Amino acid sequence: MKFVGYDGGRIGVLHGEVVHDLSGLPGVEHRIWPPTAMLRFIKDFARYEAAAQNVVNTPGRSVDEVHLEAPLGWPNKVIAYPINYNAHGSEMNSPNRADRNGFFLKPSSALIGPSDSIVLPDIPGREFHHEIELAIVIGKQGRNIEPERAPSYIFGYSCLLDITLRGSEERVMRKAYDSFCPFGPAIVTADEVGNPGELGLRLSVNGELRQDGNTKDLILNVSRMVSLASRVSTLYPGDIIATGTPAGVGPIKPGDVVDCEIDRVGSMSLSVIQGSAGHNAIIGGD
Ligand code: MN
């Protein structure tokens, strides 16, 4: 099944090209703050699953008529593995690898959805790069999870862009700007995706193919990433793990259109626009 967020915190099932509303179900209503309906839906999925299967038999709305948001807006954390493909390490001339350096975090406030734009900070002369990544969505709470048990903790998968300001400043700060974590278009349940270790990932800018990788080349595979993260932090339903980007990263600039696609997971097309803020005492001067 595929689950989306839309129209101000609503959650729904995406069935074909139609979105069916789930936000009438008790516990996942949309007029709440923070917008955490999808977190509760995932946590109590066993309770909601039958309703989600039945709702596709009721009228819905065309996906083109709704404003798709990030399917999750307020996860407890977004864990991100840095260099997790050898070819990306080589292109960055970096000796770092995910199996030696572990993970970092991105703030939930950086999340945007497939209908939103990537807003570049006003920092002349600096490069902002695209990084397409398979996103894991955690399904249940866990700590010290063995790799063999990791699949049972995974709810599904989605597409994620880890937008990055290149430079020498603290990595988390360079990757933390608002809109620097496009996520979507839907969370596709793990049963529908199948083996996460053989998914092609492609990203193009203005129609030019820039990244063309496959998760078979991950250094730390999906189960090992879940296990390693859970040795440090308790994982909660809705936590996102960004699994690293394949080779081919490069700059984006205002006016660009970024198309990304992952086999069996989905695709998004995002525009890039110039923002007027973002420079500060550390980056770009104040
Ligand atoms: Mn990344």
Side-chain angles (χ1 to χ4, degrees), residues 56-97:
V56 301
N57 300 315
T58 65
R61 292 178 61 197
S62 166
V63 69
D64 296 329
E65 295 173 7
V66 305
H67 183 86
L68 284 181
E69 298 161 351
L72 272 176
W74 212 274
N76 181 264
K77 53 192 163 296
V78 180
I79 290 167
Y81 283 87
I83 297 171
N84 202 14
Y85 291 83
N86 281 313
H88 174 53
S90 297
E91 73 177 351
M92 299 303 291
N93 294 314
S94 172
N96 296 336
R97 294 295 184 271

Side-chain angles (χ1 to χ4, degrees), residues 18-21 54-61:
V18 178
V19 177
H20 300 272
D21 193 7
N54 291 332
V55 78
V56 301
N57 300 315
T58 65
R61 292 178 61 197

Side-chain angles (χ1 to χ4, degrees), residues 2-238:
K2 297 181 175 69
F3 299 107
V4 294
Y6 69 105
D7 289 358
R10 289 181 185 274
I11 63 171
V13 180
L14 178 64
H15 186 69
E17 298 297 308
V18 178
V19 177
H20 300 272
D21 193 7
L22 292 169
S23 54
L25 296 173
V28 294
E29 299 88 350
H30 69 287
R31 287 194 178 85
I32 49 171
W33 192 92
T36 50
M38 187 67 83
L39 299 183
R40 289 190 295 281
F41 179 78
I42 291 172
K43 173 181 177 292
D44 293 324
F45 183 61
R47 180 179 145 204
Y48 293 119
E49 186 172 7
Q53 287 169 343
N54 291 332
V55 78
V56 301
N57 300 315
T58 65
R61 292 178 61 197
S62 166
V63 69
D64 296 329
E65 295 173 7
V66 305
H67 183 86
L68 284 181
E69 298 161 351
L72 272 176
W74 212 274
N76 181 264
K77 53 192 163 296
V78 180
I79 290 167
Y81 283 87
I83 297 171
N84 202 14
Y85 291 83
N86 281 313
H88 174 53
S90 297
E91 73 177 351
M92 299 303 291
N93 294 314
S94 172
N96 296 336
R97 294 295 184 271
D99 61 347
R100 293 198 292 269
N101 303 96
F103 60 83
F104 61 97
L105 299 173
K106 280 175 82 86
S108 299
S109 49
L111 287 163
I112 59 170
S115 304
D116 300 321
S117 297
I118 300 165
V119 182
L120 298 184
D122 180 22
I123 308 173
R126 296 288 294 268
E127 284 196 357
F128 303 92
H129 278 198
H130 54 76
E131 298 187 354
I132 183 174
E133 312 200 3
L134 174 70
I136 303 165
V137 178
I138 296 298
K140 64 180 181 181
Q141 183 172 330
R143 185 91 202 280
N144 299 323
I145 301 164
E146 294 299 328
E148 309 78 64
R149 292 173 53 238
S152 70
Y153 286 83
I154 296 172
F155 181 76
Y157 299 92
S158 196
C159 306
L160 184 148
L161 297 184
D162 176 18
I163 305 297
T164 303
L165 166 62
R166 294 292 176 215
S168 58
E169 298 89 355
E170 172 59 49
R171 171 168 53 197
V172 167
M173 184 173 176
R174 290 184 287 105
K175 290 171 173 275
Y177 280 97
D178 283 5
S179 83
F180 273 24
C181 197
F183 175 66
I187 300 169
V188 184
T189 50
D191 61 314
E192 197 164 305
V193 173
N195 180 2
E198 53 169 25
L199 299 172
L201 311 88
R202 291 166 296 280
L203 180 143
S204 60
V205 177
N206 304 328
E208 175 198 344
L209 186 64
R210 295 262 191 96
Q211 295 189 265
D212 186 5
N214 193 293
T215 55
K216 69 178 168 51
D217 296 318
L218 283 166
I219 297 169
L220 280 177
N221 69 24
V222 163
S223 290
R224 291 177 68 200
M225 278 185 272
V226 171
S227 177
L228 178 61
S230 77
R231 297 269 171 190
V232 179
S233 303
T234 298
L235 302 183
Y236 292 99

